[in-house]
Amino acid sequence: DAKTTQPPSMDCAEGRAANLPCNHSTISGNEYVYWYRQIHSQGPQYIIHGLKNNETNEMASLIITEDRKSSTLILPHATLRDTAVYYCIVPPAGNEKLTFGTGTRLTIIP
Amino acid sequence: GAVVSQHPSRVICKSGTSVKIECRSLDFQATTMFWYRQFPKQSLMLMATSNEGSKATYEQGVEKDKFLINHASLTLSTLTVTSAHPEDSSFYICSAREGQSEQYFGPGTRLTVT
């Protein structure tokens, strides 16, 4: 598995952009980067995923570096409801299993 | 779209009894379903993977005779915790995917064994 490293916690002011980093230096060329989040006492929620190009959807943007060794999830205008644990996951190519690490606990400050 | 439900959301059972948890994909066909367990202040741990119509594949350390998984249709998987004990108390979460798409998770079931 491509191991991922995330900071254990981050704070962000409400209304500002939240930028969550993830290192995945051992990623292989055909492995995707997935982001999920888990709000307290709920099941994880899919956010976004990407391979090489930057991706954007209604929830967030995913910026992947050219060497693909790291990525950043961007929540453009954070709200209090974005407080959650955010997981960056790189499953092995062809392997459907998601391995959840410890993630980043993001707290949005009013 | 891509909604996964679980029932019940919360269950309390006595030690030694069995409890069944249902996982349903509401608007897609779940060719693969996954069952996870999450203890307080810990991350999700995959218990097993099931494909519709096939036997589940269990992760190392998960007792298949204790955690019975059935994936009889493309929209329903069940997890039965047999002879439950207090150490089985946990948050059980299922996820589902159609083909090679991303996984979508259910809201979780909190099991308390007294």
Side-chain angles (χ1 to χ4, degrees), chain A residues 15-102:
Chain A
R16 305 297 293 269
N19 297 277
L20 293 94
C22 179
N23 286 323
H24 32 77
S25 59
T26 60
I27 193 170
S28 297
N30 54 352
E31 292 176 338
Y32 284 76
V33 181
Y34 284 80
W35 283 83
Y36 284 81
R37 72 180 183 184
Q38 186 177 26
I39 296 170
H40 183 61
S41 295
Q42 298 183 22
Q45 178 187 22
Y46 166 78
I47 301 174
I48 199 166
H49 73 283
L51 182 64
K52 293 182 182 179
N53 300 322
N54 298 336
E55 301 288 343
T56 295
N57 62 21
E58 64 278 4
M59 288 184 67
S61 294
L62 174 60
I63 309 298
I64 303 174
T65 58
E66 194 168 338
D67 64 7
R68 303 208 327 120
K69 292 184 177 182
S70 66
S71 60
T72 301
L73 179 74
I74 301 173
L75 308 179
H77 305 287
T79 70
L80 298 179
R81 286 178 293 182
D82 292 322
T83 292
V85 179
Y86 287 75
Y87 297 97
C88 167
I89 303 171
V90 179
N95 187 329
E96 53 198 356
K97 298 179 185 178
L98 298 178
T99 300
F100 286 79
T102 53

Side-chain angles (χ1 to χ4, degrees), chain A residues 34 36 38 41-46 49 87 94-103, chain B residues 32 34 36 38 43-44 46 49 51 59 91 93 97 102-108 110:
Chain A
Y34 284 80
Y36 284 81
Q38 186 177 26
S41 295
Q42 298 183 22
Q45 178 187 22
Y46 166 78
H49 73 283
Y87 297 97
N95 187 329
E96 53 198 356
K97 298 179 185 178
L98 298 178
T99 300
F100 286 79
T102 53
Chain B
T32 308
F34 305 83
Y36 296 79
Q38 186 175 32
S43 192
L44 282 79
L46 179 66
T49 302
N51 292 298
E59 295 299 300
F91 192 46
I93 308 168
R97 64 185 293 188
E102 52 273 12
Q103 289 185 35
Y104 291 93
F105 287 79
R110 189 161 301 283

